[in-house]
Amino acid sequence: MAQVLLVEPFHGGSHAAWAEGLAQHSRHEVVVVSHEADAWRWRLRGGALTLADDARAVVAEHGPPDVLLASSLFDLTGFLGLSRRFLGDPAVVRYLHESQILYPTSPNAKGPAGDEFPLVDWMSMAVADEVWVNSGFHRDALLAALPALLDRAPDRSHSDRLSEVVARCHVVPVGVDLADVPSPSRTGGDPVDGGDEPLVVWNQRWDHDKNPTAVFRALGRLADEGVPFRLAVLGENVRVDPREFTEARDRLGDRVVAWGFAERADYLAWLGRSDVVAGAADHEFFGISVVEAMAAGCVPVLPARQSYPWLLDGFAPLALYPHGELTNRLREVLVDLGAWRSRLAGLDAAVRRFDWRTVVDDYDDRIEGLVAATA
């Protein structure tokens, strides 16, 4: 059994689910060092120092690790320099939940995005023994974007290192806790609060990159047409003023049957009652929440871009809507739900390949291989 030090600078949302899931399911001893899910820009700039301070105490208690598994959103090169006196010489893995070179600029950002944060990612990839990327889409998009970043160097470009870093990149999907996600048993729209309309669920993070405005506009149009549906909005609000959400709640009125973050038991109960999961993300590297919804039997109304074609694999040509077709696809699904369920029969089982109980073996085998290679 290997000892793994997992460093997570942003312990919230999908990052926390990943860290806690691996620690729970791995056959190795996984000890987590983490910071709160806040101030992500400061984590990238300054988190290495305070994470190294916390890691020192953990190593003093548990001993030097065999493997350092370093999440994204902090400077791994700085961390290794700050921890060189106590960390030993473990195998080092960089795990990429996201890549700064690919992350869309917030509409509230002041000034253009620069290369500071993408270069943190690049340098952290270059120093690692292996780079694990959470989806095939993410890996391909990242490797396609890196050459232009490196070509912008004023001199002594790192471009000659790219091929060796690429060779160390592997797709290692995020595990998803699906053991308690209800299996689908519905044959038609379930009643919700006395109605028999299909229930649409939005269960993503309330932020601009998930493009909630597009979904709410489409639902508003369908409401005006008289298309029957109810709506459960269950995602986590990370913003002070989620204006498009409050406007949608006012617009859709009593069609909204659930609103806001729900604890796990309530969240799973809503998934079990939901019929459709809708999304229009402009940015998605994996998609834990939509995997949970599809595992529960929701018909996906998701765009044919980002990670979704990779997630749905062979079901993608049937399930994903092309650009500009969100409203039409939602209408088609809501008025003929039974046919769409039949068309996508087996999707719920297919996405359960991301269950932690399945993917953890890949993690554990890779960890053993790294330990053997550095012994």
Side-chain angles (χ1 to χ4, degrees), residues 278-359:
D282 292 323
H283 182 74
E284 183 65 85
F285 286 124
F286 184 79
I288 289 177
S289 64
V290 296
V291 168
E292 291 171 332
M294 290 187 292
C298 291
V299 173
V301 177
L302 302 169
R305 61 173 184 261
Q306 302 296 312
S307 65
Y308 300 128
W310 179 83
L311 277 181
L312 273 70
D313 197 19
F315 287 91
L318 292 173
L320 302 180
Y321 63 82
H323 179 72
E325 291 297 310
L326 169 57
T327 302
N328 291 336
R329 177 58 58 84
L330 266 172
R331 183 189 300 109
E332 292 170 5
V333 171
L334 290 172
V335 302
D336 199 2
L337 187 58
W340 277 91
R341 283 201 179 121
S342 297
R343 193 171 296 158
L344 298 177
L347 175 60
D348 59 297
V351 298
R352 287 183 180 264
R353 70 189 184 277
F354 297 116
D355 193 310
W356 263 122
R357 295 167 297 178
T358 298
V359 303

Side-chain angles (χ1 to χ4, degrees), residues 242-296:
R243 187 166 306 176
E244 65 270 41
F245 285 84
T246 55
E247 290 174 352
R249 190 175 191 179
D250 292 340
R251 169 84 188 276
L252 296 171
D254 60 6
R255 290 175 181 264
V256 179
V257 296
W259 189 260
F261 179 80
E263 296 298 333
R264 182 72 176 177
D266 291 336
Y267 171 70
L268 294 177
W270 279 112
L271 285 190
R273 300 165 72 182
S274 297
D275 301 293
V276 177
V277 59
D282 292 323
H283 182 74
E284 183 65 85
F285 286 124
F286 184 79
I288 289 177
S289 64
V290 296
V291 168
E292 291 171 332
M294 290 187 292

Side-chain angles (χ1 to χ4, degrees), residues 1-3 27-29 66 368:
M1 182 174 69
Q3 181 152 312
R27 62 179 178 261
H28 302 296
E29 182 181 359
D66 300 301
E368 286 185 0

